[in-house]
Amino acid sequence: MNQLICGHQIRDQLYVSLKNRIKDPIGFAIIQIGNDGPSDIYVKRKLAYANKFNIHGHHFILDSHVSEGRVIDLIKQLNHDPSIHGIIVQLPIPKHLNMRFIIDHIVPHKDIDGLTSINLGRMMTHKEPFFIPCTVKGCLAALNSLNEDFSGKTAVVIGRSLLVGRPLGLALLEKNITVIMAHSHTKDLVSLCQSADILVAAAGVASLISQKHVKKGGIILDVGITKKPDGSIVGDVDFDVVAPYVRAITPVPGGIGPLTVHFLIDNAVKAYENQKFQ
Ligand code: NAD
């Protein structure tokens, strides 16, 4: 392996320029519904990182049996609150709630996760979205850190979710990369992956990717996060086995995760700037 793509290091390089953009108080809201274990950890990380910028993260915790109407009322209230520049609904949410319906109540200029139909649709139609999803921006920053032109290269993206895989596929297309989207129904994942100059694993399946999947000298972005019974966090890639064969790889933890959190705050600052100067 030639290069470990360290998310913490890239994030630290981006910190000062982001901090310098903040001139006034900024606030954003995280709506968490129910008590999904991993969500607690993610929310804490977002709030702690926001704190480093003196950005106020308002944490709303709603009961897991909350009605759709109550969630939407809260979103409407936050949409109109000038001290709240961005709104996030922490995913996943309980199954009795319609995720798409709820997310689409966030006004697009406060949708700092970039998950409303309007923002995702703008990505699809080449119209600059108000916000690009934070994990997508994290993956792009990881690639940019390699200072290469990826035009004409082949990327295989494993996972087709609206949160990660699909918008990332679109973003890579914008870089003139040939994109292959793989998912749980994909046949012969191994040979597909072997064609990948860039392999992005975002399936959430621990150790899905082993040495036989990777192209020698390829670039690997491991987005997946799985908490093992012993409490340790692992990615989708069997790091120790794969790393010796590739040119660059992100670790888990410490790869895409810290970058995702950074770009959430970056999006919150962008939201504030847009609302201030509109
Ligand atoms: P998701 O469950 O919505 O989507 C998973 C996708 O992977 C689906 O499209 C599914 O078809 C595909 N998939 C599942 N098993 C597969 C298999 N065996 N082979 C091929 N494809 C398979 O999950 P998501 O929200 O997209 O998140 C994916 C992973 O990324 C999760 O582990 C999540 O925790 C992690 N994640 C990490 C970050 C970060 O900052 N690092 C951010 C968001 C999500």
Side-chain angles (χ1 to χ4, degrees), residues 42 134-135 158-166 182-186 189 201-205 208 222-226 234 236 252 255-261:
Y42 298 144
C134 319
T135 308
I158 307 174
R160 57 176 168 181
S161 74
L162 283 177
L163 186 64
V164 187
R166 278 177 210 228
H183 46 80
S184 53
H185 294 260
T186 296
L189 188 66
V205 180
L208 176 68
D222 191 356
V223 178
I225 297 176
T226 302
V234 294
D236 287 359
V252 176
I256 302 299
L259 290 172
T260 297
V261 177

mmCIF file of all heavy atoms in Angstrom, residues 42 134-135 158-166 182-186 189 201-205 208 222-226 234 236 252 255-261, ligand 1:
data_model
loop_
_atom_site.group_PDB
_atom_site.id
_atom_site.type_symbol
_atom_site.label_atom_id
_atom_site.label_comp_id
_atom_site.label_asym_id
_atom_site.label_seq_id
_atom_site.Cartn_x
_atom_site.Cartn_y
_atom_site.Cartn_z
ATOM 1 N N TYR A 42 -23.564 8.875 16.601
ATOM 2 C CA TYR A 42 -23.376 9.808 15.473
ATOM 3 C C TYR A 42 -23.799 11.219 15.867
ATOM 4 O O TYR A 42 -23.129 12.188 15.539
ATOM 5 C CB TYR A 42 -24.170 9.345 14.241
ATOM 6 C CG TYR A 42 -23.741 8.000 13.698
ATOM 7 C CD1 TYR A 42 -24.659 7.106 13.167
ATOM 8 C CD2 TYR A 42 -22.401 7.621 13.707
ATOM 9 C CE1 TYR A 42 -24.262 5.874 12.675
ATOM 10 C CE2 TYR A 42 -22.001 6.399 13.222
ATOM 11 C CZ TYR A 42 -22.935 5.523 12.703
ATOM 12 O OH TYR A 42 -22.534 4.306 12.227
ATOM 13 N N CYS A 134 -23.384 14.867 2.911
ATOM 14 C CA CYS A 134 -22.079 15.011 3.576
ATOM 15 C C CYS A 134 -21.134 13.835 3.306
ATOM 16 O O CYS A 134 -19.932 14.029 3.143
ATOM 17 C CB CYS A 134 -22.282 15.112 5.091
ATOM 18 S SG CYS A 134 -23.669 16.115 5.546
ATOM 19 N N THR A 135 -21.666 12.625 3.258
ATOM 20 C CA THR A 135 -20.786 11.471 3.027
ATOM 21 C C THR A 135 -20.233 11.508 1.601
ATOM 22 O O THR A 135 -19.085 11.118 1.360
ATOM 23 C CB THR A 135 -21.556 10.155 3.271
ATOM 24 O OG1 THR A 135 -22.157 10.228 4.553
ATOM 25 C CG2 THR A 135 -20.642 8.951 3.221
ATOM 26 N N ILE A 158 -20.502 0.183 -4.318
ATOM 27 C CA ILE A 158 -21.349 -0.880 -3.763
ATOM 28 C C ILE A 158 -22.334 -0.247 -2.788
ATOM 29 O O ILE A 158 -21.922 0.354 -1.785
ATOM 30 C CB ILE A 158 -20.505 -1.949 -3.045
ATOM 31 C CG1 ILE A 158 -19.408 -2.465 -3.982
ATOM 32 C CG2 ILE A 158 -21.391 -3.105 -2.591
ATOM 33 C CD1 ILE A 158 -18.436 -3.408 -3.299
ATOM 34 N N GLY A 159 -23.610 -0.356 -3.093
ATOM 35 C CA GLY A 159 -24.660 0.288 -2.297
ATOM 36 C C GLY A 159 -25.357 1.325 -3.156
ATOM 37 O O GLY A 159 -24.706 2.121 -3.850
ATOM 38 N N ARG A 160 -26.695 1.292 -3.142
ATOM 39 C CA ARG A 160 -27.455 2.226 -3.995
ATOM 40 C C ARG A 160 -28.439 3.059 -3.173
ATOM 41 O O ARG A 160 -29.504 3.449 -3.651
ATOM 42 C CB ARG A 160 -28.205 1.442 -5.077
ATOM 43 C CG ARG A 160 -29.140 0.396 -4.502
ATOM 44 C CD ARG A 160 -29.944 -0.303 -5.564
ATOM 45 N NE ARG A 160 -30.603 -1.470 -5.028
ATOM 46 C CZ ARG A 160 -31.365 -2.289 -5.742
ATOM 47 N NH1 ARG A 160 -31.546 -2.080 -7.019
ATOM 48 N NH2 ARG A 160 -31.930 -3.324 -5.176
ATOM 49 N N SER A 161 -28.083 3.302 -1.911
ATOM 50 C CA SER A 161 -29.012 4.069 -1.066
ATOM 51 C C SER A 161 -29.024 5.540 -1.481
ATOM 52 O O SER A 161 -28.081 6.042 -2.099
ATOM 53 C CB SER A 161 -28.602 3.974 0.403
ATOM 54 O OG SER A 161 -27.458 4.774 0.632
ATOM 55 N N LEU A 162 -30.116 6.220 -1.097
ATOM 56 C CA LEU A 162 -30.223 7.660 -1.382
ATOM 57 C C LEU A 162 -29.257 8.459 -0.527
ATOM 58 O O LEU A 162 -28.880 9.566 -0.871
ATOM 59 C CB LEU A 162 -31.654 8.138 -1.127
ATOM 60 C CG LEU A 162 -32.664 7.770 -2.203
ATOM 61 C CD1 LEU A 162 -34.042 8.239 -1.794
ATOM 62 C CD2 LEU A 162 -32.281 8.378 -3.543
ATOM 63 N N LEU A 163 -28.852 7.883 0.592
ATOM 64 C CA LEU A 163 -27.950 8.583 1.513
ATOM 65 C C LEU A 163 -26.518 8.596 0.980
ATOM 66 O O LEU A 163 -25.808 9.582 1.098
ATOM 67 C CB LEU A 163 -27.996 7.870 2.876
ATOM 68 C CG LEU A 163 -27.246 8.473 4.051
ATOM 69 C CD1 LEU A 163 -27.819 9.822 4.424
ATOM 70 C CD2 LEU A 163 -27.313 7.534 5.256
ATOM 71 N N VAL A 164 -26.099 7.481 0.395
ATOM 72 C CA VAL A 164 -24.687 7.372 -0.001
ATOM 73 C C VAL A 164 -24.519 6.986 -1.476
ATOM 74 O O VAL A 164 -24.078 7.775 -2.307
ATOM 75 C CB VAL A 164 -23.921 6.345 0.881
ATOM 76 C CG1 VAL A 164 -22.435 6.388 0.559
ATOM 77 C CG2 VAL A 164 -24.147 6.555 2.360
ATOM 78 N N GLY A 165 -24.872 5.747 -1.807
ATOM 79 C CA GLY A 165 -24.493 5.170 -3.100
ATOM 80 C C GLY A 165 -24.961 5.965 -4.310
ATOM 81 O O GLY A 165 -24.159 6.320 -5.186
ATOM 82 N N ARG A 166 -26.267 6.257 -4.380
ATOM 83 C CA ARG A 166 -26.792 6.942 -5.584
ATOM 84 C C ARG A 166 -26.194 8.327 -5.777
ATOM 85 O O ARG A 166 -25.691 8.642 -6.865
ATOM 86 C CB ARG A 166 -28.315 7.041 -5.529
ATOM 87 C CG ARG A 166 -28.979 5.777 -5.973
ATOM 88 C CD ARG A 166 -30.482 5.895 -5.834
ATOM 89 N NE ARG A 166 -30.984 4.570 -5.563
ATOM 90 C CZ ARG A 166 -32.006 4.016 -6.186
ATOM 91 N NH1 ARG A 166 -32.670 4.691 -7.092
ATOM 92 N NH2 ARG A 166 -32.378 2.800 -5.886
ATOM 93 N N ALA A 182 -23.260 -1.240 -7.806
ATOM 94 C CA ALA A 182 -23.548 -2.615 -7.386
ATOM 95 C C ALA A 182 -24.436 -2.582 -6.147
ATOM 96 O O ALA A 182 -24.457 -1.603 -5.412
ATOM 97 C CB ALA A 182 -22.244 -3.337 -7.082
ATOM 98 N N HIS A 183 -25.177 -3.644 -5.942
ATOM 99 C CA HIS A 183 -26.106 -3.689 -4.812
ATOM 100 C C HIS A 183 -26.357 -5.156 -4.434
ATOM 101 O O HIS A 183 -25.684 -6.051 -4.970
ATOM 102 C CB HIS A 183 -27.411 -2.963 -5.168
ATOM 103 C CG HIS A 183 -27.932 -3.350 -6.512
ATOM 104 N ND1 HIS A 183 -28.636 -4.511 -6.709
ATOM 105 C CD2 HIS A 183 -27.795 -2.751 -7.724
ATOM 106 C CE1 HIS A 183 -28.933 -4.605 -7.994
ATOM 107 N NE2 HIS A 183 -28.439 -3.562 -8.626
ATOM 108 N N SER A 184 -27.321 -5.364 -3.554
ATOM 109 C CA SER A 184 -27.483 -6.713 -2.995
ATOM 110 C C SER A 184 -27.946 -7.742 -4.031
ATOM 111 O O SER A 184 -27.827 -8.946 -3.798
ATOM 112 C CB SER A 184 -28.464 -6.677 -1.815
ATOM 113 O OG SER A 184 -29.655 -6.053 -2.211
ATOM 114 N N HIS A 185 -28.462 -7.298 -5.190
ATOM 115 C CA HIS A 185 -28.880 -8.248 -6.232
ATOM 116 C C HIS A 185 -27.804 -8.428 -7.310
ATOM 117 O O HIS A 185 -28.030 -9.149 -8.278
ATOM 118 C CB HIS A 185 -30.179 -7.782 -6.890
ATOM 119 C CG HIS A 185 -31.347 -7.808 -5.960
ATOM 120 N ND1 HIS A 185 -32.286 -8.827 -5.950
ATOM 121 C CD2 HIS A 185 -31.726 -6.966 -4.980
ATOM 122 C CE1 HIS A 185 -33.179 -8.591 -5.016
ATOM 123 N NE2 HIS A 185 -32.865 -7.465 -4.410
ATOM 124 N N THR A 186 -26.701 -7.745 -7.155
ATOM 125 C CA THR A 186 -25.647 -7.815 -8.174
ATOM 126 C C THR A 186 -25.051 -9.218 -8.220
ATOM 127 O O THR A 186 -24.756 -9.807 -7.181
ATOM 128 C CB THR A 186 -24.536 -6.784 -7.844
ATOM 129 O OG1 THR A 186 -25.104 -5.487 -7.926
ATOM 130 C CG2 THR A 186 -23.376 -6.897 -8.805
ATOM 131 N N LEU A 189 -20.128 -10.093 -7.900
ATOM 132 C CA LEU A 189 -19.534 -8.854 -7.381
ATOM 133 C C LEU A 189 -18.007 -8.867 -7.527
ATOM 134 O O LEU A 189 -17.391 -7.846 -7.825
ATOM 135 C CB LEU A 189 -19.932 -8.695 -5.900
ATOM 136 C CG LEU A 189 -19.577 -7.383 -5.226
ATOM 137 C CD1 LEU A 189 -20.364 -6.225 -5.834
ATOM 138 C CD2 LEU A 189 -19.853 -7.449 -3.726
ATOM 139 N N ALA A 201 -17.014 1.037 -1.037
ATOM 140 C CA ALA A 201 -17.834 0.030 -0.367
ATOM 141 C C ALA A 201 -18.759 0.736 0.616
ATOM 142 O O ALA A 201 -18.298 1.320 1.602
ATOM 143 C CB ALA A 201 -16.948 -0.973 0.344
ATOM 144 N N ALA A 202 -20.059 0.708 0.325
ATOM 145 C CA ALA A 202 -21.045 1.373 1.194
ATOM 146 C C ALA A 202 -22.249 0.453 1.352
ATOM 147 O O ALA A 202 -23.387 0.841 1.084
ATOM 148 C CB ALA A 202 -21.447 2.720 0.613
ATOM 149 N N ALA A 203 -21.980 -0.783 1.775
ATOM 150 C CA ALA A 203 -23.049 -1.773 1.926
ATOM 151 C C ALA A 203 -23.438 -1.962 3.391
ATOM 152 O O ALA A 203 -24.560 -2.355 3.698
ATOM 153 C CB ALA A 203 -22.610 -3.109 1.328
ATOM 154 N N GLY A 204 -22.510 -1.695 4.293
ATOM 155 C CA GLY A 204 -22.782 -1.961 5.710
ATOM 156 C C GLY A 204 -22.676 -3.443 6.036
ATOM 157 O O GLY A 204 -23.366 -3.929 6.929
ATOM 158 N N VAL A 205 -21.809 -4.147 5.293
ATOM 159 C CA VAL A 205 -21.589 -5.586 5.540
ATOM 160 C C VAL A 205 -20.112 -5.772 5.894
ATOM 161 O O VAL A 205 -19.232 -5.568 5.036
ATOM 162 C CB VAL A 205 -21.938 -6.425 4.286
ATOM 163 C CG1 VAL A 205 -21.700 -7.906 4.555
ATOM 164 C CG2 VAL A 205 -23.383 -6.172 3.846
ATOM 165 N N LEU A 208 -17.008 -7.464 3.694
ATOM 166 C CA LEU A 208 -17.558 -7.877 2.396
ATOM 167 C C LEU A 208 -16.457 -7.949 1.340
ATOM 168 O O LEU A 208 -16.459 -8.812 0.463
ATOM 169 C CB LEU A 208 -18.631 -6.849 1.974
ATOM 170 C CG LEU A 208 -19.278 -7.020 0.604
ATOM 171 C CD1 LEU A 208 -20.147 -8.274 0.579
ATOM 172 C CD2 LEU A 208 -20.141 -5.802 0.251
ATOM 173 N N ASP A 222 -13.707 3.079 1.966
ATOM 174 C CA ASP A 222 -14.566 2.207 2.785
ATOM 175 C C ASP A 222 -15.523 3.084 3.595
ATOM 176 O O ASP A 222 -15.118 3.742 4.553
ATOM 177 C CB ASP A 222 -13.687 1.359 3.712
ATOM 178 C CG ASP A 222 -14.474 0.251 4.390
ATOM 179 O OD1 ASP A 222 -15.711 0.193 4.205
ATOM 180 O OD2 ASP A 222 -13.846 -0.561 5.107
ATOM 181 N N VAL A 223 -16.781 3.088 3.169
ATOM 182 C CA VAL A 223 -17.789 3.932 3.826
ATOM 183 C C VAL A 223 -18.501 3.158 4.939
ATOM 184 O O VAL A 223 -18.951 3.723 5.923
ATOM 185 C CB VAL A 223 -18.818 4.445 2.788
ATOM 186 C CG1 VAL A 223 -19.907 5.283 3.447
ATOM 187 C CG2 VAL A 223 -18.120 5.263 1.701
ATOM 188 N N GLY A 224 -18.592 1.856 4.779
ATOM 189 C CA GLY A 224 -19.387 1.013 5.684
ATOM 190 C C GLY A 224 -18.951 1.132 7.140
ATOM 191 O O GLY A 224 -17.772 1.337 7.439
ATOM 192 N N ILE A 225 -19.924 1.024 8.011
ATOM 193 C CA ILE A 225 -19.635 1.027 9.454
ATOM 194 C C ILE A 225 -20.454 -0.092 10.085
ATOM 195 O O ILE A 225 -21.682 -0.109 9.967
ATOM 196 C CB ILE A 225 -20.037 2.364 10.115
ATOM 197 C CG1 ILE A 225 -19.230 3.528 9.534
ATOM 198 C CG2 ILE A 225 -19.863 2.292 11.624
ATOM 199 C CD1 ILE A 225 -19.647 4.890 10.066
ATOM 200 N N THR A 226 -19.777 -1.018 10.732
ATOM 201 C CA THR A 226 -20.483 -2.065 11.472
ATOM 202 C C THR A 226 -19.887 -2.137 12.864
ATOM 203 O O THR A 226 -18.657 -2.152 13.018
ATOM 204 C CB THR A 226 -20.326 -3.436 10.780
ATOM 205 O OG1 THR A 226 -20.817 -3.337 9.443
ATOM 206 C CG2 THR A 226 -21.096 -4.527 11.514
ATOM 207 N N VAL A 234 -15.922 -1.728 12.484
ATOM 208 C CA VAL A 234 -15.199 -2.168 11.281
ATOM 209 C C VAL A 234 -15.940 -1.671 10.039
ATOM 210 O O VAL A 234 -17.121 -1.343 10.075
ATOM 211 C CB VAL A 234 -15.057 -3.712 11.205
ATOM 212 C CG1 VAL A 234 -14.184 -4.243 12.325
ATOM 213 C CG2 VAL A 234 -16.426 -4.393 11.215
ATOM 214 N N ASP A 236 -16.528 -2.169 5.567
ATOM 215 C CA ASP A 236 -16.931 -3.237 4.634
ATOM 216 C C ASP A 236 -15.714 -3.959 4.049
ATOM 217 O O ASP A 236 -15.856 -4.981 3.394
ATOM 218 C CB ASP A 236 -17.717 -2.632 3.452
ATOM 219 C CG ASP A 236 -19.121 -2.196 3.840
ATOM 220 O OD1 ASP A 236 -19.501 -2.374 5.003
ATOM 221 O OD2 ASP A 236 -19.837 -1.689 2.954
ATOM 222 N N VAL A 252 -11.213 2.301 8.606
ATOM 223 C CA VAL A 252 -12.422 2.446 9.444
ATOM 224 C C VAL A 252 -12.047 1.934 10.829
ATOM 225 O O VAL A 252 -11.604 0.791 10.958
ATOM 226 C CB VAL A 252 -13.608 1.613 8.900
ATOM 227 C CG1 VAL A 252 -14.808 1.722 9.853
ATOM 228 C CG2 VAL A 252 -13.996 2.082 7.510
ATOM 229 N N GLY A 255 -11.554 7.204 8.594
ATOM 230 C CA GLY A 255 -11.492 7.509 7.164
ATOM 231 C C GLY A 255 -12.593 8.459 6.746
ATOM 232 O O GLY A 255 -12.523 9.670 6.978
ATOM 233 N N ILE A 256 -13.654 7.895 6.159
ATOM 234 C CA ILE A 256 -14.756 8.726 5.648
ATOM 235 C C ILE A 256 -15.588 9.321 6.795
ATOM 236 O O ILE A 256 -16.145 10.406 6.670
ATOM 237 C CB ILE A 256 -15.658 7.880 4.697
ATOM 238 C CG1 ILE A 256 -14.823 7.321 3.519
ATOM 239 C CG2 ILE A 256 -16.833 8.699 4.184
ATOM 240 C CD1 ILE A 256 -14.179 8.385 2.634
ATOM 241 N N GLY A 257 -15.660 8.635 7.922
ATOM 242 C CA GLY A 257 -16.503 9.085 9.056
ATOM 243 C C GLY A 257 -16.215 10.525 9.479
ATOM 244 O O GLY A 257 -17.114 11.374 9.480
ATOM 245 N N PRO A 258 -14.962 10.849 9.861
ATOM 246 C CA PRO A 258 -14.675 12.216 10.291
ATOM 247 C C PRO A 258 -14.941 13.241 9.192
ATOM 248 O O PRO A 258 -15.311 14.385 9.481
ATOM 249 C CB PRO A 258 -13.177 12.193 10.636
ATOM 250 C CG PRO A 258 -12.756 10.784 10.619
ATOM 251 C CD PRO A 258 -13.820 9.946 10.017
ATOM 252 N N LEU A 259 -14.760 12.829 7.939
ATOM 253 C CA LEU A 259 -15.005 13.769 6.829
ATOM 254 C C LEU A 259 -16.503 14.040 6.683
ATOM 255 O O LEU A 259 -16.922 15.159 6.393
ATOM 256 C CB LEU A 259 -14.427 13.198 5.527
ATOM 257 C CG LEU A 259 -12.888 13.167 5.504
ATOM 258 C CD1 LEU A 259 -12.374 12.411 4.293
ATOM 259 C CD2 LEU A 259 -12.338 14.591 5.521
ATOM 260 N N THR A 260 -17.313 13.004 6.889
ATOM 261 C CA THR A 260 -18.772 13.188 6.819
ATOM 262 C C THR A 260 -19.214 14.221 7.846
ATOM 263 O O THR A 260 -19.999 15.131 7.545
ATOM 264 C CB THR A 260 -19.486 11.839 7.080
ATOM 265 O OG1 THR A 260 -19.122 10.929 6.046
ATOM 266 C CG2 THR A 260 -20.992 11.989 7.118
ATOM 267 N N VAL A 261 -18.698 14.097 9.049
ATOM 268 C CA VAL A 261 -19.081 15.036 10.115
ATOM 269 C C VAL A 261 -18.591 16.442 9.766
ATOM 270 O O VAL A 261 -19.310 17.429 9.928
ATOM 271 C CB VAL A 261 -18.522 14.564 11.483
ATOM 272 C CG1 VAL A 261 -18.847 15.580 12.568
ATOM 273 C CG2 VAL A 261 -19.090 13.198 11.847
HETATM 274 P P1 NAD B 1 -28.457 1.098 3.327
HETATM 275 O O1 NAD B 1 -28.748 -0.105 4.169
HETATM 276 O O2 NAD B 1 -29.512 2.095 3.077
HETATM 277 O O3 NAD B 1 -27.914 0.611 1.927
HETATM 278 C C1 NAD B 1 -27.030 -0.456 1.807
HETATM 279 C C2 NAD B 1 -26.832 -0.753 0.330
HETATM 280 O O4 NAD B 1 -25.873 -1.808 0.228
HETATM 281 C C3 NAD B 1 -28.095 -1.215 -0.387
HETATM 282 O O5 NAD B 1 -28.197 -0.521 -1.611
HETATM 283 C C4 NAD B 1 -27.864 -2.709 -0.632
HETATM 284 O O6 NAD B 1 -28.415 -3.142 -1.865
HETATM 285 C C5 NAD B 1 -26.345 -2.808 -0.659
HETATM 286 N N1 NAD B 1 -25.876 -4.105 -0.174
HETATM 287 C C6 NAD B 1 -26.198 -4.705 1.003
HETATM 288 N N2 NAD B 1 -25.587 -5.912 1.084
HETATM 289 C C7 NAD B 1 -24.881 -6.061 -0.058
HETATM 290 C C8 NAD B 1 -24.060 -7.091 -0.556
HETATM 291 N N3 NAD B 1 -23.821 -8.213 0.135
HETATM 292 N N4 NAD B 1 -23.475 -6.919 -1.755
HETATM 293 C C9 NAD B 1 -23.680 -5.804 -2.478
HETATM 294 N N5 NAD B 1 -24.471 -4.774 -2.057
HETATM 295 C C10 NAD B 1 -25.053 -4.917 -0.853
HETATM 296 O O7 NAD B 1 -27.181 1.774 4.034
HETATM 297 P P2 NAD B 1 -26.557 3.243 3.826
HETATM 298 O O8 NAD B 1 -27.289 4.222 4.618
HETATM 299 O O9 NAD B 1 -26.286 3.487 2.389
HETATM 300 O O10 NAD B 1 -25.163 3.016 4.563
HETATM 301 C C11 NAD B 1 -24.266 2.034 4.117
HETATM 302 C C12 NAD B 1 -23.157 1.854 5.119
HETATM 303 O O11 NAD B 1 -22.438 3.066 5.212
HETATM 304 C C13 NAD B 1 -23.652 1.558 6.538
HETATM 305 O O12 NAD B 1 -22.717 0.717 7.161
HETATM 306 C C14 NAD B 1 -23.640 2.910 7.223
HETATM 307 O O13 NAD B 1 -23.475 2.814 8.612
HETATM 308 C C15 NAD B 1 -22.427 3.511 6.567
HETATM 309 N N6 NAD B 1 -22.381 4.958 6.553
HETATM 310 C C16 NAD B 1 -21.217 5.511 6.871
HETATM 311 C C17 NAD B 1 -21.075 6.868 6.829
HETATM 312 C C18 NAD B 1 -19.743 7.439 7.178
HETATM 313 O O14 NAD B 1 -19.669 8.612 7.441
HETATM 314 N N7 NAD B 1 -18.683 6.662 7.120
HETATM 315 C C19 NAD B 1 -22.148 7.683 6.479
HETATM 316 C C20 NAD B 1 -23.348 7.087 6.115
HETATM 317 C C21 NAD B 1 -23.461 5.709 6.145
#
